[in-house]
Each structure stands twice: as C-alpha cells, then as structure tokens.
Amino acid sequence: MPILSQPPSLSGPLVAFDFDGTLTVSDSFTAFLRWRAGPVAWMTGLAALGPATARYLIDRDRGRIKAAAVAQFLDGVEALQLSEEAERFADHVWDRFLRPDALACWEDWGKKGAHRVIVTASPALTVAPFARRLGAEALLGTELALDPEGRVTGAFVGENCRGEEKVERLIRAYGPDAVLEAAYGDTSGDAEMLARAAQPGFRRFRQRP
C-alpha cells in the first residue's frame, strides 16, 4: 500500500475511493482524536479550539480548522506512537465503522483486478491501518509535518487533500494521462475527483454495520 512518487504501470482499472463518509459511516480523524483524548481532554480541547471554530464559520477553510485540531490534540506526539495508536483505533472501531455496501463495491473492484486507491483529506498516517486491512493498492492523504525528531508539529506537508488537491495528488501519483475508471465520494470535496471518473459514484453507499 505505497504512497506513490512515480506513476506506476497499472495492470487494471484505476479506481479511487474517498474514505470518510464513503467507506466509513463518519469522519475517521475526528473519531480518532476523540478516542485518543478521552472525554475530559476532548471537551477541554474543543473549548480551546473556540477561536479557530469561530474563524471557520467565516472562512470555511477546512484545512485551517484541521491544522488547528492537529496542533491542539497532537502537537509534539511522535509519529511512531501515533501510528501505533492509529492501529489500535482501527482494531477498536472496525466492525462498526465500515459501510457494508461500500466494502462490497471495494471487493468487487478487487476481483476485477482494479488498482484501488484511497484519496482522503484525513491524515494518511491515521488512515493507513484501515487501508492496509482493506488491501488498498495505494493511499493518498493529507500529510502531517514532523520535526527533526519525528514529532507532529501541527502543520501539513503540502495542502489539505480535498477538492482540487485530490485531483492533483492523483495526477502526481499516476500521471496526467491516467484514466480514472471509477471514483466514489460523498461531499463537495470529492466533486473534482468524481468529475474525472468514467463512473462517478456520489453518495452511492448508505448502509451501516
């Protein structure tokens, strides 16, 4: 399940899946932060995010509010520790977090030999355990910046992977001439990606475990 830097030679159709709300029943990063923090620290952190939340209501900048949440809840955490916690979180929520109809579609494309890539605005680091368990061929997501000691800084490497950035990530990973056979998403942040797909699926999956 690599994060690609060079366009691969695809042996099957390229199919892109959004993660949060498409493969899952809710936003995975919010759920992870809440699970990791615990009830008291979660509520305290949300209160501290009040100014950032107020600013978001004006500018609707999802990348900025996400960066503020990262800084609030994860600043200084070692990436290795965060990866281990993400693994435990995936184990904890798996049975009640993935949509059955989305999983059926995922598996159907797998049987067809598709190259299935998850393209998500959530941090790739926290989605990676789910992608590995699903058998994803690749994962493209928002990248958390780390300091020289490998600790989360609260910033991103590049842009929040949403909207046009999803298309840019696909182009960088697979080349400008790659044909997107199908794409699935559930919000306006997936619109540009869906527009490039021969088979766009908007809010196709609705089942809950």
Side-chain angles (χ1 to χ4, degrees), residues 10-45:
L10 300 177
S11 59
L14 176 61
V15 180
F17 284 78
D18 168 58
F19 189 65
D20 299 304
T22 300
L23 286 168
T24 72
V25 297
S26 63
D27 183 84
S28 65
F29 190 48
T30 300
F32 170 72
L33 292 178
R34 185 171 185 170
W35 169 84
R36 182 182 184 277
V40 175
W42 174 247
M43 295 306 298
T44 302

Side-chain angles (χ1 to χ4, degrees), residues 77-192:
V77 177
E78 292 185 353
L80 179 59
Q81 175 187 336
L82 197 59
S83 294
E84 292 170 348
E85 291 171 342
E87 290 280 359
R88 293 200 298 273
F89 172 71
D91 289 339
H92 180 69
V93 303
W94 182 270
D95 290 339
R96 61 181 184 275
F97 209 58
L98 280 296
R99 295 188 183 278
D101 50 352
L103 289 178
C105 180
W106 176 273
E107 293 298 333
D108 186 54
W109 277 114
K111 292 174 183 177
K112 296 175 181 177
H115 182 100
R116 299 163 300 178
V117 54
I118 294 174
V119 189
T120 177
S122 284
L125 189 151
T126 60
V127 175
F130 294 94
R132 283 192 291 269
R133 188 176 296 194
L134 286 166
E137 279 66 45
L139 167 63
L140 302 171
T142 300
E143 297 295 332
L144 300 179
L146 305 177
D147 68 15
E149 284 73 43
R151 297 174 300 200
V152 176
T153 67
F156 299 151
V157 177
E159 299 294 325
N160 185 38
C161 188
R162 185 180 189 276
E164 187 61 36
E165 183 63 18
K166 289 196 172 189
V167 174
E168 292 299 320
R169 298 290 185 92
L170 286 166
I171 290 172
R172 291 202 296 271
Y174 299 100
D177 298 325
V179 175
L180 189 58
E181 179 62 27
Y184 302 93
D186 72 310
T187 71
S188 60
D190 302 309
E192 291 86 349

